Amino acid sequence: MSKLLVFGHLNPDTDAIGAAIAYAHFLNQIGEETEAVALGTPNDETRFALEHFNVPVPRVIEQAAPEVERVALVDHNEFAQSVADIRDVQIDYVVDHHRIANFETAGPLYYRAEPIGSTSSVLFKLYQEKGIEIPTDVAGMMLSAIISDTLLFKSPTCTPEDVKIAQQLAEIAQVDVNEYGIQMLKAGADVSARSAMDIVDGDAKTFDMNGHKVRIGQVNTVGFVDILKRKAEFLDVMQSELSKHDYAIFLLVITDILENDSIGLVVGGDTTPVTKAFDQAITDNQLNLPQIVSRKKQVVPPLTDAYMS
């Protein structure tokens, strides 16, 4: 059987990287020859996790077809969020926890998706079902992914299953969940040395909303004062990207990981859907997003509804 590449979405976050590493190991144990790769450079939070658990940084690819005929997707299914030549390879596996949109394959495949806080939580279940032992370093990356996606269990996407699984993974990884989690999140929230482009687009995803290309980025921080000093920089980059890629809007969600509140910066020709989705006025390209921390559950659904109505 030919080699298979395993990867998460573009602009990978900790779950995209951690899930790729975990699923590649899982598939190897059931007879596949795999390699976990990434569709972008890991962010500071993910690098903290990789270094803490002494896991090599996955190599970055821009295309899959020149190397392999078969791939496995984790933490995404939408082709707009995947490798550039996704239509030129055979998708044999998908493990995810997002909505299913604009996805089809020519042949049958293994597809597992659950509405829980992290793809790595779904993967933990697969390991348990097959009776496969999770190595310490892999458990550490899976734990990091759950902490990241649930903001240390504070996100509305978090379920009791995620909390229970994280505790079990912490035992395997030999760390204290809260102590390690706070260290990791703070490592990712220090944006002082990051470029405006990296902050704006480093974790951005493109969504098709009723025929409109909507770009949504998100960055975690501690407090809003310092990061908003760079607001003009961010808006310039967002406007440039909007024009270059013909986005309907570009929304950057800035999330305070300690207070569990967000602020949105938005550019676009018609920002009415944003106002409608969140029932908040936009002033000087900025709006308040109180108690919003999850792009998947609290940003994408209401914005999709606004574009549909």
Side-chain angles (χ1 to χ4, degrees):
M1 194 173 290
S2 60
K3 180 181 176 179
L4 183 146
L5 292 180
V6 185
F7 48 82
H9 50 76
L10 291 164
N11 294 333
D13 56 12
T14 304
D15 196 25
I17 299 288
I21 291 168
Y23 200 32
H25 178 267
F26 175 90
L27 291 173
N28 283 337
Q29 303 311 300
I30 63 171
E32 292 278 12
E33 179 190 355
T34 71
E35 180 188 359
V37 294
L39 303 187
T41 304
N43 60 35
D44 289 342
E45 176 189 277
T46 308
R47 285 188 175 276
F48 177 90
L50 291 166
E51 291 173 7
H52 187 94
F53 294 106
N54 196 28
V55 177
V57 178
R59 68 186 178 93
V60 175
I61 65 165
E62 295 184 356
Q63 293 182 310
E67 297 186 46
V68 297
E69 298 178 352
R70 306 162 57 236
V71 299
L73 310 184
V74 295
D75 203 33
H76 76 296
N77 64 81
E78 298 186 50
F79 284 9
Q81 298 175 8
S82 199
V83 72
D85 59 350
I86 187 64
R87 297 183 186 276
D88 299 328
V89 291
Q90 177 177 307
I91 303 171
D92 280 0
Y93 303 91
V94 177
V95 180
D96 195 12
H97 71 133
H98 294 93
R99 70 176 190 172
I100 300 173
N102 305 308
F103 179 86
E104 63 179 25
T105 60
L109 74 160
Y110 177 87
Y111 198 112
R112 176 80 169 259
E114 297 189 28
I116 55 180
S118 168
T119 298
S120 289
S121 293
V122 183
L123 286 169
F124 179 86
K125 293 184 176 185
L126 293 182
Y127 273 93
Q128 295 294 100
E129 290 164 10
K130 290 289 186 179
I132 298 174
E133 184 177 349
I134 305 176
T136 300
D137 57 345
V138 174
M141 291 308 302
M142 294 170 72
L143 171 65
S144 301
I146 296 170
I147 290 170
S148 176
D149 266 19
T150 66
L151 283 180
L152 198 52
F153 317 131
K154 294 178 181 178
S155 170
T157 61
C158 185
T159 70
E161 282 187 288
D162 294 297
V163 178
K164 182 178 179 181
I165 289 169
Q167 291 169 343
Q168 292 176 268
L169 287 169
E171 290 183 12
I172 300 171
Q174 301 174 16
V175 296
D176 177 88
V177 174
N178 290 308
E179 182 180 343
Y180 170 74
I182 291 171
Q183 290 176 350
M184 188 194 77
L185 290 176
K186 284 187 174 181
D190 182 3
V191 299
S192 57
R194 293 170 61 182
S195 69
M197 173 62 83
D198 187 36
I199 292 171
V200 166
D201 210 48
D203 186 35
K205 295 181 180 180
T206 302
F207 299 87
D208 183 336
M209 298 184 179
N210 197 25
H212 300 272
K213 285 173 62 178
V214 176
R215 188 72 165 171
I216 305 175
Q218 185 169 21
V219 61
N220 292 339
T221 186
V222 177
F224 297 125
V225 175
D226 288 339
I227 196 167
L228 285 178
K229 291 177 181 177
R230 302 177 64 185
K231 176 180 173 179
E233 291 181 65
F234 302 152
L235 292 175
D236 284 346
V237 170
M238 292 164 67
Q239 186 61 56
S240 175
E241 290 296 292
L242 180 126
S243 301
K244 185 186 303 182
H245 299 287
D246 196 28
Y247 299 135
I249 62 166
F250 196 133
L251 171 65
L252 175 64
V253 180
I254 303 172
T255 301
D256 185 331
I257 61 171
L258 296 185
E259 298 298 328
N260 294 318
D261 275 325
S262 295
I263 286 174
L265 300 182
V266 60
V267 297
D270 180 11
T271 58
T272 304
V274 179
T275 303
K276 185 175 182 180
F278 305 109
D279 193 26
Q280 294 286 331
I282 299 173
T283 303
D284 193 22
N285 300 95
Q286 181 176 322
L287 71 158
N288 293 323
L289 299 172
Q291 299 302 301
I292 288 180
V293 297
S294 171
R295 172 171 50 193
K296 180 181 70 174
K297 194 167 184 177
Q298 296 174 297
V299 177
V300 173
L303 199 48
T304 300
D305 289 344
Y307 271 103
M308 294 296 290
S309 61

